[in-house]
Amino acid sequence: MSCCDLAAAGQLGKAGIMASDCEPALNQAESRNPTLERYLGALREAKNDSEQFAALLLVTKAVKAGDIDAKTRRRIFDAVLNKIPILSTFLTARGDPDDAARRSMIDDTYQCLTAVAGTPRGPRHLIAGGTVSALCQAYLGHGYGFDQALALLVGLLAAAETQCWKEAEPDLLAVLRGLSEDFQKAEDASKFELCQLLPLFLPPTTVPSECLRDLQAGLARILGSKLSSWQRNPALKLAARLAHACGSDWIPAGNSGSKFLALLVNLACVEVRLALEETGTEVKEDVVTACYALMELGIQECTRCEQSLLKEPQKVQLVSIMKEAIGAVIHYLQQVGTEKQKEPFVFASVRILGAWLAEETSSLRKEVCQLLPFLVRYAKTLYEEAEEANDLSQQVATLAISPTTPGPTWPGDALRLLLPGWCHLTVEDGPREILIKEGAPSLLCKYFLQQWELTSPGHDTSVLPDSVEIGLQTCCHIFLNLVVTAPGLIKRDACFTSLMNTLMTSLPALVQQQGRLLLAANVATLGLLMARLLSTSPALQGTPASRGFFAAAILFLSQSHVARATPGSDQAVLVLSPDYEGIWADLQELWFLGMQAFTGCVPLLPWLAPAALRSRWPQELLQLLGSVSPSSVKPEMVAAYQGVLVELARANRLCREAMRLQAGEETASHYRMAALEQCLSEP
């Protein structure tokens, strides 16, 4: 029996199984459609897979949507599914390329597979049946119908990208290599069509380096030419997808790479200004969001100190151009009403503004201050509806550059995007007053406590994204700024009492956790500074929580340095302990601030000096100083150590006696700690 034409393949969701399985339901359909009755008879009499498949195609041709009931249609569709592997084999079978019958069968097969792909569960079944690999091989073979193979691949990737790559990664990478090479060589309009296809074929893992080279070369030729918007926009979206997936790794170093990156950012900024500066203009949101991704790449490269692709004059020029584009973004956000706040494009616009403010707050200060009330309200709205915000971030990714997003996940809340910028702004009087007036500190406290829950016992912190811990650290920096610049706020706002309680109960476990020293440093230092302001709070009057917090803070402060023997010398030297050494550049400011804050707490909390003595910190500190060469201890370290020892000695007679027994006066003399030496000489 020969293969039939599948002109009615859109009804395929519908075709046959083994005859014995079909009969009860199919018999009901026969009486309503004589042609279908004939074809169903052929299906029943089929003796093997080939005959069943041929009969199945006949059934498909005869069936109309209203001719059979849903139950019959469902059973027929399930049998189509059973024949997917057979359909797939036809795509790669060898044969005479000029054979009309063979071409007809290939067309039938593609129509059949396309119909299945158009059903809700169809893509999953096609992928499981090996169709993706077969389509890849059919396309790479460039035989008859290879363009239909590519079209069907595009549909499957759009519907189920992750599953496609899981089932057929080597084959899909081969297609990507072929498409990338074609793109690099194309001189006709096909290069613009490829711009639209290629984002779909970028893998969720590493993009092969040879593909990156071809893609960059092709984009450089396109974007370096005079283009209409319909030609330029797909190229910008492809470049944005590469930037999102690979950062700047796909752009070559050297003069050509720096010029290309500068061109990308320039074009993106121009597109953003054209779209957003004119009120009432229809915004092509997908294109502008792609341009945001390219601007973010520009911001990263302009702020990179080492191995930047850009030269200094290029950085200066691009910062000026991006400033104008950010001004357009601010102008757009000023027009956003309440009804639009949950739209993905607004989220994308806040994201690029957050990326800019993380690095630059001195320019556009007036405009930023005017926008701050909106940003606080917007962040609060999305925070209070967290589930919708998480979904919104995925919509942004889809909006930006087509179906899915390899590379770093876009943060799921607006507040996290704004934290770095707010950290800078809380140092300045004007912006800080606006943030306080709009309720940002209270919102930040709630956010910190909510995020902290994700790191508490019972949660697997190993699966948390780095952005959670980075967000907590940035919150701590904002709170530190407020402690220093707005101490009255800390004392009067009840949210900071809740924050202090969380810090006290959390630090003891945190300092014991491997790899979380930087977060522990932030929590310890913030808690110590807040304790000075909240020293009259009942929670700090020697309660178990307060004692546990200060014991953990002492552990953090006391373990930073150790003595290390040096060959050929009788005296050891003071060095950073291994855990602190690798992150000391980020840690040292917090450590010195923590030492200062602890020193300030001692006279305010009478129970603290005896607790420190029981921990043996003052004794061990003097022992450490006595065991190393004074020349190995930097002056700022000497000052920090003396500050703590003096306050402990002044606050408690037993501390003074313990220090004397530890050769405190002699050590103070060696290090020229005059204040400590005088204190220990007194009764």
Side-chain angles (χ1 to χ4, degrees):
M1 188 177 292
S2 62
C3 177
C4 78
D5 175 65
L6 268 187
Q11 313 305 325
L12 185 63
K14 316 139 189 140
I17 33 188
M18 294 300 292
S20 60
D21 294 333
C22 296
E23 292 182 8
L26 300 184
N27 285 338
Q28 300 172 15
E30 295 178 33
S31 60
R32 294 195 293 269
N33 187 327
T35 303
L36 177 60
E37 179 180 355
R38 253 190 346 265
Y39 291 161
L40 289 172
L43 179 61
R44 289 193 197 91
E45 295 169 7
K47 298 180 176 61
N48 53 47
D49 282 346
S50 296
E51 291 185 1
Q52 279 191 52
F53 179 59
L56 184 58
L57 296 178
L58 292 169
V59 170
T60 301
K61 182 177 181 180
V63 168
K64 305 289 185 189
D67 286 343
I68 55 176
D69 59 30
K71 182 177 180 182
T72 305
R73 215 161 34 242
R74 173 75 267 162
R75 297 189 68 183
I76 293 175
F77 174 62
D78 288 342
V80 171
L81 296 183
N82 289 336
K83 303 309 173 195
I84 284 174
I86 299 175
L87 289 168
S88 298
T89 59
F90 288 150
L91 302 180
T92 55
R94 295 184 178 182
D96 183 356
D98 298 322
D99 184 346
R102 182 174 180 276
R103 290 189 172 202
S104 177
M105 179 177 286
I106 291 174
D107 286 336
D108 289 345
T109 301
Y110 279 122
Q111 291 183 55
C112 202
L113 293 173
T114 301
V116 174
T119 64
R121 293 192 303 140
R124 185 174 73 233
H125 290 292
L126 289 176
I127 295 165
T131 303
V132 175
S133 291
L135 291 170
C136 290
Q137 293 166 30
Y139 173 75
L140 292 169
H142 277 67
Y144 178 77
F146 79 99
D147 53 335
Q148 298 181 69
L150 184 62
L152 193 48
L153 274 175
V154 167
L156 291 176
L157 283 166
E161 181 193 44
T162 301
Q163 193 179 358
C164 285
W165 281 99
K166 183 179 178 182
E167 292 293 330
E169 180 172 348
D171 295 303
L172 285 169
L173 286 176
V175 172
L176 174 61
R177 290 186 182 95
L179 291 173
S180 301
E181 187 175 350
D182 291 345
F183 179 62
Q184 192 271 336
K185 294 178 179 177
E187 299 290 345
D188 56 12
S190 65
K191 60 188 176 185
F192 302 115
E193 298 172 3
L194 286 168
C195 275
Q196 296 177 317
L197 287 178
L198 278 162
L200 288 159
F201 286 88
L202 295 179
T205 53
T206 305
V207 181
S209 58
E210 65 271 24
C211 296
L212 293 178
R213 285 194 299 271
D214 287 341
L215 293 173
Q216 188 275 329
L219 282 170
R221 281 210 308 275
I222 290 177
L223 294 173
S225 307
K226 187 175 181 179
L227 302 170
S228 61
S229 60
W230 74 266
Q231 294 169 323
R232 181 177 58 252
N233 292 345
L236 289 173
K237 292 171 72 173
L238 174 57
R241 182 70 185 269
L242 288 167
H244 190 55
C246 310
S248 61
D249 292 345
W250 61 287
I251 301 175
N255 191 50
S256 63
S258 65
K259 286 184 177 180
F260 175 70
L261 177 57
L263 173 65
L264 272 182
V265 179
N266 264 291
L267 289 173
C269 290
V270 169
E271 194 69 34
V272 168
R273 291 187 64 190
L274 288 173
L276 301 184
E277 283 184 344
E278 295 297 327
T279 304
T281 303
E282 183 180 354
V283 177
K284 295 179 180 177
E285 295 180 350
D286 58 339
V287 177
V288 177
T289 308
C291 291
Y292 287 165
L294 297 175
M295 286 176 59
E296 192 164 346
L297 179 63
I299 292 170
Q300 293 168 359
E301 285 300 315
C302 284
T303 55
R304 181 178 293 182
C305 297
E306 298 179 359
Q307 297 182 332
S308 174
L309 291 170
L310 298 170
K311 300 172 183 176
E312 204 58 37
Q314 290 174 314
K315 291 183 179 181
V316 173
Q317 182 188 29
L318 286 182
V319 167
S320 176
I321 293 169
M322 287 191 290
K323 174 184 172 182
E324 294 174 347
I326 292 296
V329 174
I330 293 174
H331 172 75
Y332 165 76
L333 289 173
Q334 287 170 337
Q335 319 303 317
V336 172
T338 306
E339 73 283 356
K340 286 191 172 184
Q341 286 193 8
K342 294 180 184 178
E343 293 185 4
F345 183 66
V346 175
F347 187 90
S349 300
V350 170
R351 174 186 168 90
I352 188 60
L353 177 59
W356 173 264
L357 293 177
E359 305 296 343
E360 173 57 59
T361 56
S362 59
S363 61
L364 299 171
R365 183 175 302 179
K366 178 182 176 182
E367 292 85 350
V368 169
C369 287
Q370 290 174 343
L371 192 64
L372 278 178
F374 164 80
L375 293 176
V376 175
R377 291 194 300 271
Y378 179 75
K380 183 178 181 181
T381 298
L382 266 63
Y383 166 74
E384 291 176 346
E385 302 177 16
E387 289 185 3
E388 292 174 72
N390 286 330
D391 179 64
L392 191 61
S393 68
Q394 183 55 42
Q395 292 180 51
V396 170
T398 303
L399 175 69
I401 335 163
S402 112
T404 51
T405 54
T409 304
W410 291 51
D413 58 79
L415 192 49
R416 189 176 298 162
L417 306 176
L418 296 168
L419 288 177
W422 286 8
C423 187
H424 298 314
L425 292 170
T426 48
V427 177
E428 305 176 28
D429 293 341
R432 181 176 64 251
E433 290 174 5
I434 296 172
L435 288 169
I436 291 173
K437 179 182 177 182
E438 296 296 328
S442 177
L443 174 61
L444 287 168
C445 283
K446 293 176 183 176
Y447 178 77
F448 181 90
L449 297 176
Q450 184 258 346
Q451 292 289 292
W452 191 263
E453 281 298 311
L454 299 176
T455 71
S456 62
H459 291 81
D460 184 2
T461 56
S462 65
V463 300
L464 286 179
D466 292 340
S467 56
V468 172
E469 189 143 323
I470 293 171
L472 289 170
Q473 292 177 23
T474 310
C475 280
C476 286
H477 295 167
I478 295 174
F479 295 141
L480 286 169
N481 290 341
L482 294 175
V483 166
V484 174
T485 61
L489 175 70
I490 308 300
K491 293 179 180 179
R492 69 174 180 266
D493 198 321
C495 71
F496 287 100
T497 301
S498 299
L499 176 62
M500 185 72 214
N501 290 335
T502 297
L503 299 179
M504 288 196 298
T505 56
S506 303
L507 185 62
L510 185 61
V511 294
Q512 304 290 344
Q513 294 177 22
Q514 192 71 22
R516 308 191 75 194
L517 182 56
L518 193 55
L519 180 59
N522 278 278
V523 170
T525 303
L526 174 61
L528 290 169
L529 284 167
M530 289 180 62
R532 288 197 309 183
L533 299 176
L534 303 174
S535 60
T536 58
S537 167
L540 284 162
Q541 307 311 311
T543 60
S546 63
R547 290 180 180 274
F549 169 78
F550 276 94
I554 288 172
L555 195 63
F556 159 65
L557 296 171
S558 65
Q559 292 187 340
S560 61
H561 291 77
V562 294
R564 186 175 69 192
T566 54
S569 175
D570 294 337
Q571 279 193 305
V573 294
L574 189 72
V575 297
L576 287 165
S577 60
D579 288 343
Y580 289 66
E581 186 175 14
I583 58 172
W584 186 245
D586 298 317
L587 199 64
Q588 61 176 336
E589 186 177 353
L590 290 167
W591 186 87
F592 281 107
L593 195 56
M595 290 287 284
Q596 182 183 349
F598 185 93
T599 300
C601 287
V602 173
L604 299 174
L605 301 171
W607 60 268
L608 184 53
L613 182 62
R614 285 193 295 274
S615 75
R616 294 192 55 79
W617 184 27
Q619 301 96 308
E620 291 173 357
L621 179 51
L622 286 169
Q623 183 181 9
L624 175 64
L625 292 173
S627 67
V628 301
S629 168
S631 63
S632 70
V633 186
K634 296 179 180 179
E636 60 268 27
M637 295 293 300
V638 173
Y641 286 146
Q642 178 176 224
V644 169
L645 292 169
V646 167
E647 286 301 330
L648 290 173
R650 287 174 178 169
N652 187 272
R653 177 182 58 82
L654 294 177
C655 280
R656 292 194 295 276
E657 292 177 359
M659 290 182 196
R660 293 189 190 107
L661 292 174
Q662 196 60 54
E665 292 175 275
E666 182 181 351
T667 301
S669 176
H670 286 159
Y671 285 89
R672 297 181 181 179
M673 296 179 176
L676 179 60
E677 191 173 6
Q678 180 180 349
C679 184
L680 293 180
S681 66
E682 297 172 356

